[in-house]
Amino acid sequence: MNRTPWRRRREPLDHVESAALLPAPGDPVLSHDRLTTLEEHLMNEIRQAQDRKSAEAQPQTVAFLPTRSPEPKRHTGGRRLALIGAAVAVAVLAGAIGVGQLTGQEAVDAAGPPEGSVPASVVQVAQGTTEGLSSTVDRISVAAVKEKLPEPGPGQFIYIKSQVSWLSMSQNVDTGKNETYVQKLHARQVWLSPDGRRGWLIEPGNGTTSRGGITLDDEGEALEPSIGSPSYDYLKTLTTDPDELLRKIYEETKGQGNGPDQQAFTTIGDLVMEQVMPAELTSALYRAAAKIPGVVVVDDTTDAVGRHGIAIARTDETGGARTEWIFDPKTFSYLGERTVQMRDMEGVEAGTVTGHTAITERAVVDAMKELPGAKGKV
């Protein structure tokens, strides 16, 4: 989220969809680390944006707010990847989390969705319930223990492939009209070393990497890993007692996000979405999540590639967005995540799907950019 690289994720730090929906300034979701990331990549993003603008036949006339495209969780102290657009980076560093101000003829000329985006879908949302939550989490936790992957060793890399789509907002500031779009569904591939010091990301559909991708290598002094920015090696050291684990999550995320319960749920979601970790820890994280107030089970939902599943979910009381972790209804293996707006908020209609992911492959490979199953390198 995330994020994370994901975490998150991130961008989780935060569930960036909340940043897109809530009024600014002063959004508590953006951490100091995230701001540092934005500063580091701002100039590069601006140059890219200027190049794109000069190549277009007509001027840009709307402001776009991509939400959460998570960062893989890594304990980097140097170079960090910011997976958001230049317009948002400028707004953040200016202290304005929200839609950029475009006026005059540019606003008058505004038409159509952001490049690479489509209108967001609005769905009939199934209500969640606590009935059956305990038994569902039990089945998911048991399935997680059985679904073991090889432990990555020195020199190897964790590989995650997914299909993702995040929210884009546009606004004509002269008319005040908001339009809600999402990125076209696109592929995302991440490689991470077990110690968190090396990595690679390919996600051209998000507009932040080329087709060849971008390095996630740590080029500075590494920070100590934490629950919010872990490596695989760090995750191996964590307790598998759900109560102790949840206590640690609350302690390490105190003051972050939109309240302690929502941030705890977000943190666990970021960990399980784009990471390979010891199976017993994954199981414990699901059991810990079931203890968070407000967590419910949703009988039917779909991931980004249309697979139906059952979900463990929680609604952010502040922004009204419900995050759903989706599991196969028969095997209870993790499929992906969906974020849906549960009430009208800042121009986003209730039922709007603002984020969608589907994990299509997890593996351990022997080299950076190597594909699983002797498929060669990208």
Side-chain angles (χ1 to χ4, degrees):
M1 347 70 75
N2 15 151
R3 307 33 311 93
T4 264
W6 206 277
R7 301 150 222 236
R8 185 192 157 268
R9 281 220 206 127
R10 185 267 261 171
E11 288 200 327
L13 331 172
D14 41 25
H15 266 43
V16 182
E17 67 266 17
S18 296
L21 300 176
L22 297 176
D27 191 318
V29 169
L30 285 171
S31 65
H32 174 74
D33 181 62
R34 187 66 188 276
L35 290 174
T36 300
T37 299
L38 291 170
E39 292 169 356
E40 184 178 347
H41 292 272
L42 175 60
M43 294 310 299
N44 181 55
E45 293 289 328
I46 290 175
R47 284 192 293 270
Q48 292 180 16
Q50 290 174 336
D51 290 343
R52 289 193 297 269
K53 184 173 182 179
S54 62
E56 292 172 354
Q58 58 184 17
Q60 293 292 328
T61 59
V62 292
F64 309 135
L65 280 181
T67 61
R68 160 183 175 251
S69 181
E71 298 185 5
K73 283 292 192 181
R74 299 166 59 250
H75 61 288
T76 55
R79 188 162 183 261
R80 297 292 297 269
L81 180 63
L83 298 183
I84 65 175
V88 180
V90 173
V92 170
L93 294 179
I97 312 299
V99 178
Q101 299 296 304
L102 295 178
T103 58
Q105 186 61 41
E106 286 189 340
V108 173
D109 292 340
E115 183 180 355
S117 298
V118 294
S121 60
V122 180
V123 300
Q124 185 69 36
V125 181
Q127 295 301 310
T129 177
T130 56
E131 184 177 352
L133 174 63
S134 178
S135 60
T136 300
V137 170
D138 282 345
R139 293 185 180 96
I140 291 170
S141 299
V142 170
V145 172
K146 295 178 180 178
E147 197 174 15
K148 290 187 176 181
L149 287 171
E151 179 177 350
Q156 291 186 309
F157 289 84
I158 295 164
Y159 171 78
I160 308 290
K161 184 178 182 181
S162 58
Q163 293 287 322
V164 301
S165 172
W166 307 113
L167 177 70
S168 293
M169 288 285 292
S170 72
Q171 182 186 60
N172 184 316
V173 295
D174 281 354
T175 66
K177 183 180 179 181
N178 289 323
E179 298 290 346
T180 307
Y181 300 99
V182 292
Q183 298 169 350
K184 292 179 181 178
L185 190 66
H186 58 273
R188 174 181 169 95
Q189 297 180 89
V190 174
W191 290 260
L192 296 171
S193 63
D195 63 5
R197 299 299 301 270
R198 300 191 63 203
W200 195 266
L201 170 70
I202 299 178
E203 191 186 357
N206 192 42
T208 9
T209 82
S210 66
R211 292 189 178 278
I214 187 170
T215 181
L216 303 179
D217 287 2
D218 180 11
E219 297 178 354
E221 181 180 355
L223 301 177
E224 285 298 317
S226 66
I227 200 71
S229 185
S231 65
Y232 179 88
D233 291 344
Y234 169 79
L235 292 172
K236 288 194 303 181
T237 69
L238 295 181
T239 177
T240 56
D241 179 276
D243 292 308
E244 292 182 15
L245 192 56
L246 187 58
R247 190 178 306 115
K248 180 179 180 64
I249 291 170
Y250 274 110
E251 289 174 353
E252 291 203 13
T253 60
K254 185 177 180 179
Q256 300 177 19
N258 293 327
D261 295 332
Q262 181 61 29
Q263 185 58 35
F265 188 80
T266 297
T267 298
I268 295 174
D270 289 345
L271 288 171
V272 301
M273 181 169 15
E274 194 167 70
Q275 180 61 270
V276 170
M277 66 182 81
E280 292 77 10
L281 176 61
T282 305
S283 175
L285 285 168
Y286 292 138
R287 294 186 186 278
K291 299 174 182 290
I292 299 173
V295 171
V296 297
V297 61
V298 179
D299 289 337
D300 184 52
T301 185
T302 56
D303 70 3
V305 295
R307 297 177 296 191
H308 282 263
I310 192 168
I312 303 301
R314 190 181 193 282
T315 299
D316 183 346
E317 298 93 337
T318 303
R322 185 173 78 183
T323 302
E324 304 167 348
W325 307 338
I326 306 169
F327 301 86
D328 186 283
K330 294 181 179 179
T331 67
F332 295 96
S333 60
Y334 181 89
L335 298 179
E337 183 179 286
R338 184 178 81 160
T339 303
V340 60
Q341 191 65 22
M342 298 298 287
R343 65 175 186 266
D344 293 349
M345 185 73 176
E346 294 295 321
V348 180
E349 180 183 352
T352 301
V353 177
T354 59
H356 236 162
T357 70
I359 301 298
T360 57
E361 192 167 13
R362 297 181 193 258
V364 173
V365 296
D366 293 328
M368 184 92 79
K369 295 191 282 184
E370 180 178 278
L371 297 175
K375 299 176 184 176
K377 288 189 175 184
V378 294

XYZ file of all heavy atoms in Angstrom, residues 223-260:
297
model
N 17.658 1.864 7.391
C 16.995 2.065 8.666
C 16.701 0.711 9.303
O 16.656 -0.314 8.632
C 15.691 2.843 8.460
C 15.804 4.229 7.829
C 14.392 4.807 7.630
C 16.627 5.157 8.706
N 16.472 0.739 10.589
C 16.091 -0.490 11.260
C 14.717 -0.920 10.752
O 13.810 -0.096 10.647
C 16.042 -0.271 12.774
C 17.406 -0.180 13.437
C 18.198 -1.477 13.275
O 17.592 -2.563 13.439
O 19.396 -1.401 12.978
N 14.534 -2.190 10.423
C 13.225 -2.639 9.950
C 12.186 -2.530 11.059
O 12.508 -2.525 12.241
C 13.473 -4.093 9.560
C 14.651 -4.510 10.369
C 15.524 -3.295 10.487
N 10.931 -2.430 10.643
C 9.831 -2.319 11.599
C 8.599 -2.988 11.011
O 8.608 -3.433 9.867
C 9.538 -0.848 11.884
O 9.037 -0.214 10.720
N 7.537 -3.025 11.780
C 6.314 -3.648 11.300
C 5.742 -2.869 10.124
O 5.041 -3.424 9.280
C 5.272 -3.742 12.444
C 4.213 -4.803 12.122
C 4.636 -2.395 12.715
C 4.701 -6.208 12.194
N 6.049 -1.587 10.036
C 5.561 -0.773 8.938
C 6.471 -0.763 7.734
O 6.090 -0.311 6.662
N 7.700 -1.246 7.883
C 8.651 -1.292 6.775
C 9.586 -2.476 6.970
O 10.762 -2.316 7.283
C 9.447 0.023 6.720
O 10.289 0.041 5.584
N 9.051 -3.684 6.809
C 9.829 -4.883 7.131
C 10.540 -5.494 5.933
O 10.265 -5.152 4.785
C 8.760 -5.850 7.632
C 7.595 -5.532 6.756
C 7.656 -4.031 6.499
N 11.442 -6.376 6.226
C 12.011 -7.281 5.233
C 11.565 -8.691 5.606
O 11.031 -8.922 6.698
C 13.538 -7.206 5.258
O 14.032 -7.677 6.510
N 11.803 -9.631 4.711
C 11.477 -11.017 5.042
C 12.265 -11.475 6.267
O 11.719 -12.135 7.163
C 11.780 -11.937 3.855
C 11.494 -13.395 4.149
C 10.229 -13.926 3.929
C 12.489 -14.235 4.649
C 9.953 -15.254 4.213
C 12.218 -15.566 4.932
C 10.946 -16.075 4.718
O 10.685 -17.392 5.001
N 13.536 -11.107 6.308
C 14.361 -11.522 7.444
C 13.820 -10.968 8.755
O 13.865 -11.643 9.800
C 15.808 -11.049 7.244
C 16.507 -11.796 6.115
O 15.998 -12.860 5.694
O 17.554 -11.311 5.644
N 13.295 -9.747 8.713
C 12.701 -9.170 9.917
C 11.421 -9.911 10.296
O 11.180 -10.206 11.477
C 12.398 -7.692 9.683
C 11.543 -7.068 10.755
C 12.081 -6.676 11.972
C 10.170 -6.875 10.563
C 11.290 -6.111 12.962
C 9.373 -6.316 11.547
C 9.942 -5.933 12.741
O 9.159 -5.383 13.726
N 10.591 -10.212 9.319
C 9.323 -10.878 9.605
C 9.531 -12.234 10.263
O 8.711 -12.668 11.078
C 8.517 -11.037 8.311
C 8.004 -9.733 7.685
C 7.391 -10.002 6.311
C 6.994 -9.047 8.593
N 10.639 -12.898 9.937
C 10.926 -14.200 10.548
C 11.120 -14.110 12.050
O 10.982 -15.101 12.758
C 12.188 -14.814 9.928
C 12.012 -15.322 8.514
C 13.187 -16.212 8.110
C 14.528 -15.500 8.240
N 15.656 -16.367 7.829
N 11.456 -12.914 12.542
C 11.742 -12.752 13.971
C 10.489 -12.435 14.789
O 10.557 -12.418 16.016
C 12.755 -11.615 14.191
O 12.139 -10.346 13.878
C 13.981 -11.803 13.316
N 9.364 -12.193 14.143
C 8.159 -11.768 14.858
C 7.458 -12.943 15.533
O 7.526 -14.085 15.080
C 7.178 -11.098 13.894
C 7.638 -9.786 13.264
C 6.543 -9.243 12.351
C 7.999 -8.764 14.330
N 6.776 -12.626 16.603
C 5.986 -13.632 17.304
C 4.838 -14.107 16.429
O 4.344 -13.367 15.568
C 5.415 -13.046 18.611
O 4.587 -14.040 19.247
C 4.561 -11.814 18.340
N 4.402 -15.325 16.655
C 3.227 -15.843 15.956
C 2.039 -15.967 16.900
O 1.048 -16.623 16.568
C 3.533 -17.209 15.309
O 4.007 -18.115 16.305
C 4.570 -17.059 14.202
N 2.142 -15.334 18.056
C 1.010 -15.258 18.969
C 0.134 -14.078 18.538
O 0.599 -12.926 18.532
C 1.485 -15.053 20.406
C 0.330 -14.936 21.377
O -0.213 -13.816 21.529
O -0.049 -15.954 21.983
N -1.117 -14.306 18.147
C -1.953 -13.221 17.606
C -2.114 -12.034 18.552
O -2.097 -10.876 18.098
C -3.295 -13.912 17.348
C -2.948 -15.344 17.140
C -1.808 -15.604 18.072
N -2.268 -12.293 19.834
C -2.456 -11.194 20.784
C -1.198 -10.339 20.906
O -1.263 -9.103 20.901
C -2.856 -11.741 22.161
C -4.246 -12.358 22.153
O -5.188 -11.678 21.706
O -4.390 -13.516 22.571
N -0.041 -10.992 21.022
C 1.213 -10.249 21.114
C 1.499 -9.500 19.816
O 1.992 -8.366 19.825
C 2.360 -11.208 21.436
C 2.290 -11.824 22.825
C 3.471 -12.736 23.103
O 4.467 -12.653 22.348
O 3.404 -13.522 24.053
N 1.180 -10.130 18.714
C 1.415 -9.521 17.409
C 0.554 -8.272 17.238
O 1.045 -7.217 16.799
C 1.098 -10.538 16.317
C 1.535 -10.236 14.887
C 3.023 -9.972 14.811
C 1.140 -11.393 13.973
N -0.711 -8.369 17.613
C -1.606 -7.217 17.484
C -1.170 -6.090 18.412
O -1.224 -4.910 18.044
C -3.042 -7.633 17.795
C -4.117 -6.567 17.542
C -4.102 -6.114 16.085
C -5.500 -7.097 17.918
N -0.713 -6.444 19.604
C -0.220 -5.427 20.547
C 0.974 -4.682 19.951
O 1.064 -3.450 20.047
C 0.171 -6.095 21.859
C 0.468 -5.106 22.994
C 0.811 -5.828 24.293
N -0.230 -6.786 24.643
C -0.075 -8.104 24.683
N 1.098 -8.633 24.345
N -1.056 -8.898 25.022
N 1.852 -5.419 19.315
C 3.028 -4.798 18.690
C 2.612 -3.869 17.555
O 3.167 -2.766 17.390
C 3.967 -5.885 18.163
C 5.233 -5.346 17.484
C 6.114 -6.487 17.010
C 7.371 -5.964 16.330
N 8.244 -5.212 17.259
N 1.649 -4.293 16.762
C 1.177 -3.469 15.642
C 0.583 -2.165 16.151
O 0.863 -1.081 15.622
C 0.160 -4.257 14.797
C 0.867 -5.400 14.058
C -0.553 -3.338 13.799
C -0.066 -6.376 13.386
N -0.241 -2.240 17.172
C -0.821 -1.021 17.745
C 0.272 -0.095 18.284
O 0.219 1.134 18.094
C -1.796 -1.371 18.868
C -3.207 -1.660 18.407
C -3.733 -2.941 18.469
C -4.017 -0.641 17.919
C -5.029 -3.213 18.056
C -5.315 -0.899 17.501
C -5.821 -2.181 17.574
O -7.110 -2.437 17.154
N 1.255 -0.666 18.950
C 2.322 0.154 19.535
C 3.144 0.841 18.453
O 3.465 2.028 18.561
C 3.225 -0.727 20.409
C 2.569 -1.183 21.707
C 3.442 -2.159 22.474
O 4.500 -2.583 21.923
O 3.082 -2.527 23.615
N 3.516 0.107 17.405
C 4.406 0.669 16.385
C 3.690 1.598 15.405
O 4.343 2.356 14.689
C 5.103 -0.460 15.617
C 6.101 -1.218 16.452
C 7.145 -1.922 15.603
O 7.246 -1.631 14.393
O 7.862 -2.769 16.164
N 2.358 1.539 15.356
C 1.626 2.407 14.435
C 0.856 3.502 15.171
O 0.021 4.188 14.571
C 0.630 1.594 13.571
O -0.323 0.942 14.426
C 1.370 0.549 12.746
N 1.147 3.687 16.430
C 0.443 4.693 17.228
C 0.576 6.074 16.589
O 1.664 6.508 16.219
C 1.013 4.721 18.645
C 0.264 5.651 19.593
C 0.838 5.564 20.995
C 0.087 6.487 21.948
N 0.633 6.403 23.342
N -0.545 6.765 16.441
C -0.542 8.106 15.865
C -0.583 8.147 14.359
O -0.637 9.232 13.761
N -0.567 7.007 13.696
C -0.593 6.965 12.240
C -2.017 6.749 11.726
O -2.869 6.217 12.436
C 0.311 5.837 11.716
C 1.769 5.960 12.110
C 2.590 4.775 11.633
O 2.187 4.043 10.729
N 3.744 4.568 12.243
N -2.244 7.152 10.481
C -3.486 6.832 9.810
C -4.716 7.463 10.426
O -4.653 8.435 11.175
N -5.864 6.884 10.119
C -7.148 7.407 10.566
C -7.662 6.643 11.783
O -8.730 6.036 11.755
C -8.169 7.341 9.433
C -7.818 8.271 8.299
O -7.256 9.339 8.516
N -8.132 7.884 7.071
N -6.875 6.654 12.854
C -7.264 5.969 14.074
C -6.524 4.665 14.243
O -6.122 4.020 13.269
N -6.331 4.220 15.484
C -5.524 3.023 15.751
C -6.090 1.741 15.162
O -5.328 0.900 14.670
C -5.480 2.967 17.285
C -6.622 3.820 17.751
C -6.789 4.873 16.720
